[in-house]
Amino acid sequence: MSNHTEHITRLSQAESRGKVAVLGDLSLQISYQGTALLADASTQVRTSSYQLADAALVAQLCRALGVAEVHLYGVVGADALGRELLYQVDSAKIDRSEAIVLEQFATRALHRIGSPVTERYVLGGGEAAEGAASEAVIEALEKQQSEYDCIIVVAGAHSTLYTEAVQRALSSLSAKRTPVLISVPEDAPLLPESTAVTVIADLADEIALGRLATNHPGAWVALSVEDGVIGFDTKQRYSELGFHLIKEAAGEQVREAFLAGFAASTVAGGSFAEAVAVGNLAKGVSIQPFNYPTGVTLENLLALSESVERRYEPLLASDSRLASYIEGSEIEVIDSSYRTSRTNSYPVAAIFDLDGTLSTLREGWDTVMHETMVGYITGDQYQHLSRSELDRIAEQVARLIERTTGVQTVIQMMEMMDLLRFYGYVPAEQVATAHEYKDWYAQKIRDRVEYKFARYEAGELGVDAFTINGALDFLHHLKAQGTRLYLASGTDDSDVKHELTTFGYADLFDGGIYGSVGDTANDPKAVVVAKAKEYVLSTKGTFRTGDAVVFGDGPVEIREGRAAGFVTVGMISDEKQRWGTNPHKRERLILAGSDFLMPDYSWAHHLGRYLGWQ
């Protein structure tokens, strides 16, 4: 990802700047905390809240990102929702003198039910009246176009904005010097084709991207909820990474946040690349209100810019047909640039995850966790719930485990507790703490592995029965070449050290063994990456590509290693048979930033030759 932190820092330190016009659908978003809301209002609703949406929200976010003047052009109804919308517009210090208030027009409302959202629908609008009024609004904008540093055109869901007259006016606007950003529904007709227009569209797939570039030879940007942004300014292609989230993304404000971020950067003199980056960060903040409760602000954009929680290569991750391999091996190459930057020496430091990377002792932990979490959430009601309700809970738990694989177990339990509270099957007085849930789950895992320790101690099974194929030989080989070895795990520290000591290979890790001690603010994997990099710098005085490597089957260690500049090897190991590939790990490890994917350590010599270790 391009580093535009300095640009964002300048934006956050500058005084309000620029003048922006926002034209489009003026809508309210109404969020209901209840099970359902029918059109006849027959269902009881506990609480509701009102927020600006569509063009009105873009205007509000532009102000939040430091734009000095924002003028709103659009149509709103002379009804209760319209009055609420205008009240919020005035509160945000947005100029709405050019907005038209229409009688016989229902203000558009976007209804969202539940948290997480379980139902959405749109009410309001009035095609004929709005179309005529929109033409009058855009005529007013044309007359004042020269006053603005940027113009944003926003069409929301079920928009009636794009009449032929409005299209002609947009073509006229785009022919002048003022930058114009147009956000449109996917099937909107007659989009202006001009280098003065930046077209904002949803990122679907490579075919859709190619069609967008062909139809709009000017600048364009494609974006998705979690998978980042791709932009092209007629000269160069830019790509900004998406954001990995433990919780489900809140995707309702993606375009609006991006448009505001892009515009705020543009009016401050940012380049196209910087505007794409700032827009992407604004989008990233908007989809995770659980991490940024104060919303889209420059302070939050700056905080997110320093995060390592990225999503790499989403198209490759979702399509195994695009895979390429080291010749004669089953090692998938994600980043081929390492072939030309080989160090011709073994790494100074190597970090290994434990479960699924070296050890198979806890194979099946995810199945146990899934069953346990469903039990925690449903409590005494488990036997009484419908099949469909259990399936719904089970699906959400499966997504939770997929998103949190590799983090400390206590954090996984903290996320589980959000679902537990949401469903409400467990009385409040019976809800335990995240640490208690973690301890109960950990004891279940200990009970499962106890018999394996017993068989090992009885001499019935050797260490190889509990490790990925070739793992111990590879550890000994690296150690003999002078590589310092570290182990980092999200499993409890005491369990990790007990296992390695029992199986007799704890002494290999001269860099240290680090498991979870329940400190959610300091993930052991992040701590070890920092220690390993510090060791390389103290040993060599510099840090180059290939000086350190991370092996792991979890996203956390791969992300931390990638952010620190380490070579990252995702272990797509089949833990049940201890060799070969588990295809379910591929997508998550590519998205986490793996440079290579390796099934087991029988292929390690192929990797070593490719990287110049031997």
Side-chain angles (χ1 to χ4, degrees):
M1 177 178 178
S2 303
N3 187 348
H4 298 290
T5 301
E6 290 185 8
H7 176 60
I8 302 164
T9 301
R10 289 196 302 272
L11 287 180
S12 64
Q13 294 173 345
E15 296 181 2
S16 295
R17 70 204 75 78
K19 189 173 182 179
V20 170
V22 182
L23 164 70
D25 297 312
L26 307 185
S27 312
L28 271 181
Q29 176 177 282
I30 308 176
S31 300
Y32 303 93
Q33 300 301 314
T35 55
L37 177 71
L38 303 178
D40 61 2
S42 61
T43 301
Q44 183 72 31
V45 176
R46 292 196 295 272
T47 59
S48 60
S49 61
Y50 298 85
Q51 295 174 294
L52 297 177
D54 294 332
L57 176 59
V58 173
Q60 182 183 50
L61 295 177
C62 282
R63 290 286 293 136
L65 292 175
V67 178
E69 287 189 58
V70 180
H71 292 209
L72 192 58
Y73 292 75
V75 180
V76 66
D79 51 18
L81 292 180
R83 289 191 292 274
E84 174 64 26
L85 186 150
L86 294 177
Y87 169 77
Q88 292 200 24
V89 165
D90 291 340
S91 298
K93 295 182 168 54
I94 298 166
D95 187 311
R96 48 134 173 139
S97 56
E98 300 297 338
I100 296 178
V101 180
L102 282 183
E103 301 286 348
Q104 307 303 317
F105 177 81
T107 301
R108 182 181 287 102
L110 316 179
H111 299 271
R112 300 168 71 253
I113 299 166
S115 179
V117 177
T118 58
E119 203 174 332
R120 298 177 177 85
Y121 58 91
V122 179
L123 295 176
E127 201 163 318
E130 186 179 16
S134 293
E135 293 173 21
V137 168
I138 202 169
E139 286 176 9
L141 177 56
E142 280 188 285
K143 294 177 183 177
Q144 301 177 69
Q145 178 176 0
S146 60
E147 298 180 14
Y148 299 111
D149 299 302
C150 182
I151 295 172
I152 307 173
V153 182
V154 185
H158 308 288
S159 176
T160 56
L161 179 67
Y162 284 94
T163 64
E164 288 188 15
V166 170
Q167 286 295 320
R168 288 194 298 271
L170 288 177
S171 297
S172 174
L173 286 174
S174 66
K176 300 176 183 177
R177 290 180 177 273
T178 307
V180 179
L181 314 180
I182 301 181
S183 173
V184 297
E186 187 175 343
D187 58 351
L190 306 174
L191 293 177
E193 298 180 4
S194 166
T195 55
V197 174
T198 298
V199 178
I200 313 297
D202 289 327
L203 174 60
D205 52 39
E206 288 186 292
I207 295 175
L209 291 179
R211 185 166 56 246
L212 181 64
T214 300
N215 294 340
H216 306 288
W220 56 264
V221 178
L223 64 152
S224 71
V225 174
E226 291 177 89
D227 286 334
V229 170
I230 295 173
F232 188 74
D233 65 355
T234 73
K235 297 178 182 178
Q236 186 174 342
R237 186 178 186 271
Y238 303 91
S239 179
E240 291 292 328
L241 298 177
F243 306 95
H244 170 71
L245 306 179
I246 289 179
K247 299 179 186 292
E248 298 283 354
E252 282 76 14
Q253 300 179 1
V254 170
R255 284 195 185 199
E256 292 86 348
F258 180 87
L259 285 163
F262 194 105
S265 176
T266 298
V267 301
S271 65
F272 181 83
E274 288 171 329
V276 168
V278 174
N280 185 52
L281 288 168
K283 180 205 76 170
V285 168
S286 76
I287 64 176
Q288 39 188 323
F290 35 82
N291 288 332
Y292 301 100
T294 55
V296 179
T297 66
L298 289 170
E299 181 181 9
N300 287 340
L301 265 62
L302 188 59
L304 181 57
S305 72
E306 298 167 351
S307 167
V308 301
E309 301 295 312
R310 308 296 189 194
R311 284 166 65 91
Y312 298 82
E313 302 290 348
L315 295 177
L316 173 62
S318 64
D319 191 347
S320 60
R321 297 173 301 175
L322 304 176
S324 60
Y325 298 86
I326 294 176
E327 186 176 355
S329 81
E330 294 182 12
I331 300 173
E332 184 175 351
V333 179
I334 312 302
D335 188 346
S336 61
S337 67
Y338 285 99
R339 190 69 184 269
T340 59
S341 60
R342 299 189 300 176
T343 59
N344 295 316
S345 62
Y346 278 83
V348 178
I351 298 172
F352 290 83
D353 173 44
L354 181 61
D355 297 314
T357 299
L358 296 175
S359 171
T360 62
L361 185 67
R362 296 171 189 81
E363 181 273 324
W365 67 267
D366 47 349
T367 300
V368 177
M369 179 173 282
H370 188 276
E371 294 172 352
T372 302
M373 284 186 171
V374 170
Y376 290 160
I377 292 166
T378 57
D380 294 338
Q381 297 302 308
Y382 178 80
Q383 296 293 342
H384 308 291
L385 297 178
S386 67
R387 184 72 258 173
S388 61
E389 180 74 344
L390 274 178
D391 288 345
R392 178 187 174 199
I393 294 170
E395 181 182 348
Q396 287 184 292
V397 169
R399 291 203 303 269
L400 185 158
I401 293 172
E402 175 66 24
R403 288 175 176 273
T404 60
T405 293
V407 306
Q408 297 181 75
T409 308
V410 67
I411 294 177
Q412 292 178 293
M413 293 302 161
M414 291 168 67
E415 296 302 315
M416 179 278 301
M417 290 180 70
D418 287 344
L419 289 176
L420 184 150
R421 296 188 187 98
F422 170 73
Y423 282 101
Y425 292 124
V426 179
E429 65 274 12
Q430 295 179 20
V431 175
T433 67
H435 285 276
E436 288 174 319
Y437 287 125
K438 184 270 295 182
D439 288 343
W440 297 336
Y441 160 76
Q443 188 57 52
K444 287 188 176 184
I445 296 296
R446 293 186 192 108
D447 293 341
R448 273 176 61 97
V449 305
E450 196 172 282
Y451 82 97
K452 297 181 182 180
F453 280 127
R455 294 196 68 190
Y456 169 75
E457 290 166 352
E460 297 173 356
L461 293 172
V463 176
D464 286 348
F466 308 114
T467 52
I468 297 295
N469 185 33
L472 296 185
D473 288 343
F474 183 59
L475 290 175
H476 281 286
H477 178 69
L478 285 181
K479 179 83 168 179
Q481 302 304 318
T483 301
R484 189 172 212 184
L485 304 183
Y486 298 78
L487 189 134
S489 175
T491 300
D492 280 0
D493 188 70
S494 58
D495 292 335
V496 170
K497 290 175 178 174
H498 172 61
E499 176 182 349
L500 297 187
T501 301
T502 300
F503 290 150
Y505 62 101
D507 291 344
L508 290 173
F509 296 98
D510 49 344
I513 297 170
Y514 301 84
S516 173
V517 294
D519 181 0
T520 58
N522 293 288
D523 187 276
K525 297 175 182 181
V527 170
V528 172
V529 167
K531 285 181 177 292
K533 188 162 189 176
E534 183 180 351
Y535 173 73
V536 173
L537 289 169
S538 66
T539 302
K540 297 186 62 177
T542 60
F543 184 92
R544 293 193 305 155
T545 298
D547 283 341
V549 59
V550 172
F551 293 85
D553 79 324
V556 177
E557 60 268 21
I558 297 298
R559 279 197 184 86
E560 294 289 347
R562 178 67 177 256
F566 291 20
V567 176
T568 52
V569 182
M571 297 301 298
I572 50 173
S573 42
D574 184 330
E575 298 169 50
K576 196 170 189 65
Q577 63 182 11
R578 302 190 305 103
W579 59 273
T581 299
N582 178 351
H584 296 295
K585 295 183 180 182
R586 180 181 181 273
E587 182 174 5
R588 78 166 73 119
L589 290 174
I590 292 176
L591 289 173
S594 295
D595 300 313
F596 303 93
L597 298 180
M598 188 165 71
D600 58 65
Y601 298 95
S602 67
W603 301 104
H605 64 290
H606 290 270
L607 179 69
R609 284 202 299 267
Y610 189 91
L611 292 173
W613 294 353
Q614 46 186 272

